[in-house]
């Protein structure tokens, strides 16, 4: 009996496929086709240049967005009002609302009267 490793469980089994010398031309043709499919998965220099151009556009758009966001934040920080200005604005809006309500009521009464 020959010495065998405990890990060598398949030493007495035949190999899984035919030996390479008996490979058929059809099998070799399938292998060549598979290799061509794998080659087609590579990116060409033109595609890389196209993607690089798109990335440049995205980077420019991101910089423009960041600049507009910074301008908005700066404007938002500079916009504030004092209590007196707020009180005056609320007072004016209250009277505008009262005038609009009176106008609507008088228009409603005039419409009802002419019917």
């Amino acid at each position: 009996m020959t010495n065998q490793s405990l890990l060598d469980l398949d030493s007495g089994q035949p190999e899984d496929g035919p030996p390479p010398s008996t490979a058929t031309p059809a099998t070799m043709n399938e292998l060549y086709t598979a290799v061509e499919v794998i080659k087609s998965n590579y990116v060409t220099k033109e595609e890389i240049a196209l993607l690089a151009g798109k990335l440049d556009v995205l980077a420019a758009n991101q910089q423009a967005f960041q600049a507009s966001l910074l301008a908005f934040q700066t404007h938002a920080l500079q916009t504030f009002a004092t209590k007196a200005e707020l009180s005056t604005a609320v007072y004016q809006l209250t009277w505008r609302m009262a005038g609009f309500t009176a106008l609507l009521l008088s228009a409603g009464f005039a419409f009802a009267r002419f019917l």
Side-chain angles (χ1 to χ4, degrees):
M1 184 170 223
T2 61
N3 292 335
Q4 291 181 345
S5 169
L6 293 176
L7 300 175
D8 189 14
L9 301 175
D10 295 330
S11 63
Q13 302 294 327
E15 294 296 323
D16 285 340
S21 62
T22 62
T24 62
T27 306
M28 292 304 289
N29 190 20
E30 288 177 20
L31 179 63
Y32 292 140
T33 306
V35 169
E36 289 299 321
V37 169
I38 291 171
K39 281 183 183 177
S40 69
N41 287 336
Y42 289 110
V43 178
T44 63
K45 289 181 181 179
E46 291 82 14
E47 291 171 339
I48 291 174
L50 181 66
L51 289 175
K54 287 182 180 179
L55 290 177
D56 291 341
V57 170
L58 288 175
N61 287 345
Q62 182 182 11
Q63 289 175 353
F65 176 72
Q66 287 176 347
S68 65
L69 184 63
L70 180 64
F72 175 75
Q73 287 175 343
T74 304
H75 177 70
L77 291 176
Q78 293 175 351
T79 308
F80 59 91
T82 63
K83 286 184 180 181
E85 292 171 342
L86 182 62
S87 175
T88 304
V90 169
Y91 182 78
Q92 288 175 350
L93 288 175
T94 302
W95 280 109
R96 283 184 191 170
M97 287 174 48
F100 186 69
T101 304
L103 180 69
L104 284 178
L105 284 174
S106 61
F109 284 126
F111 183 70
R113 180 171 180 160
F114 288 116
L115 282 181

